[in-house]
Amino acid sequence: MLEVYVHPRCSESYHVYTILETEGLLGRINFLNVEKAPFHALEKGVFGVPAFSINGRVVLQGYFEDDEVKSLVAEGRIHVESLEEAYARLLKSIYHSFTVASAVYLAGDPSIILGSEAYLMSASGAYFVPEGGSFPKYVAERLGPSVFPELERDLLRNIAGNFARDLYWLFGEAPSRTMAEGLGEGFFSAWLFSRASIGRVFVPHSLAGQDVRERVSRAWSYVLGVVDKAGQRVVDEQRGIPAGWLG
């Protein structure tokens, strides 16, 4: 059976639910609530939801298309034709997961993900490529600091959206530039550093140099420019998720 890691207030998780409900496929999958079992999800290498597992192995997380959800249920696979296609999918997955996006942004180097083969494979779809076993080596030869500039804008978009969502969850009202400016850049910096930290494994502010501080300031400027629109989008998104859909 296909298992799907989801969060009850994640719009993408609910979107997967609606796809499966529309297709009459809910009976063929099992939802795993990461809010209730966070350490189980981390143990399995889940860095963002929704994530899809077959026979106990996470095979897809981060970027995916609607048709691929149906394909996973119907065929037990998605169609990824080459290592190059898997690599392009991996880059999209990096900025689709806030945990990954924030860590990569503060590090300024996407190669920090290279130590997790399970993440590389599931975030790229490489499990379904015939020569997928060579994907980690393929990625290691291509992914480094030089790739960061092409990802930066999308990383910032993810960070801004998640900042707006957290403000909404904290204060219960639509985030705005006025709200953000009232909280100040120091609040934003503390939020970003703490949200990007993974316990004591990755603590980006422990040795934050000038380059890190400059990236935080760039992120703050970006957030101020988009938070009004992002805030309204978050309100619409959250209000569109019915209570109790996950049971």
Side-chain angles (χ1 to χ4, degrees), residues 44-45 47 61 111-122 136:
K44 292 296 185 178
F47 293 102
Q61 62 178 308
S111 71
I112 64 170
I113 70 172
L114 292 177
S116 174
E117 181 174 317
Y119 177 73
L120 295 178
M121 298 295 286
S122 60

Side-chain angles (χ1 to χ4, degrees), residues 155-237:
L155 297 173
L156 287 171
R157 188 177 296 112
N158 184 301
I159 289 168
N162 277 276
F163 182 62
R165 188 175 295 106
D166 277 4
L167 291 183
Y168 177 74
W169 284 344
L170 282 169
F171 300 112
E173 60 183 88
S176 65
R177 178 165 184 148
T178 299
M179 177 191 289
E181 287 178 329
L183 294 168
E185 184 173 351
F187 177 91
F188 172 76
S189 297
W191 170 84
L192 182 55
F193 279 129
S194 62
R195 290 287 266 117
S197 297
I198 306 172
R200 287 289 177 180
V201 177
F202 180 64
V203 189
H205 50 289
S206 62
L207 291 173
Q210 184 61 30
D211 60 328
V212 180
R213 289 191 288 272
E214 288 175 355
R215 280 195 293 278
V216 172
S217 290
R218 288 205 303 273
W220 173 242
S221 296
Y222 180 87
V223 163
L224 290 180
V226 302
V227 69
D228 286 321
K229 289 184 178 179
Q232 189 55 57
R233 204 159 46 239
V234 162
V235 171
D236 294 340
E237 162 204 291

